[in-house]
Amino acid sequence: MPHGVHKTQSKTYRPDPDLHAKAMRGVNAMDSTMNAQIIAFLRWFTHETDELPRRPDPSVFADS
């Protein structure tokens, strides 16, 4: 695919900035991406899988 052309159209979500920052800490602690985590959740949510996405250790959020 040419640069800048994607297979799927992007979707916009607008989480609270503090929630987004907290989620990014968790994503980074798992060496993952926000996209991968959201897609995994959506697959569980729509019954494509019964496996919930893994979550980071609670200690990642201890100072929140």
Side-chain angles (χ1 to χ4, degrees):
M1 283 186 184
H3 179 71
V5 176
H6 299 277
K7 182 177 161 187
T8 57
Q9 181 180 4
S10 67
K11 307 292 186 242
T12 302
Y13 71 102
R14 291 179 174 83
D16 173 81
D18 293 334
L19 177 60
H20 183 264
K22 187 175 177 181
M24 284 305 298
R25 284 201 325 263
V27 166
N28 291 334
M30 296 189 326
D31 195 29
S32 186
T33 65
M34 186 68 76
N35 190 58
Q37 295 303 312
I38 291 171
I39 288 172
F41 174 79
L42 291 174
R43 290 191 191 289
W44 170 81
F45 189 76
T46 60
H47 298 271
E48 283 188 20
T49 183
D50 290 328
E51 187 175 327
L52 275 167
R54 64 189 181 97
R55 296 192 298 175
D57 189 275
S59 66
V60 171
F61 310 112
D63 64 343
S64 296

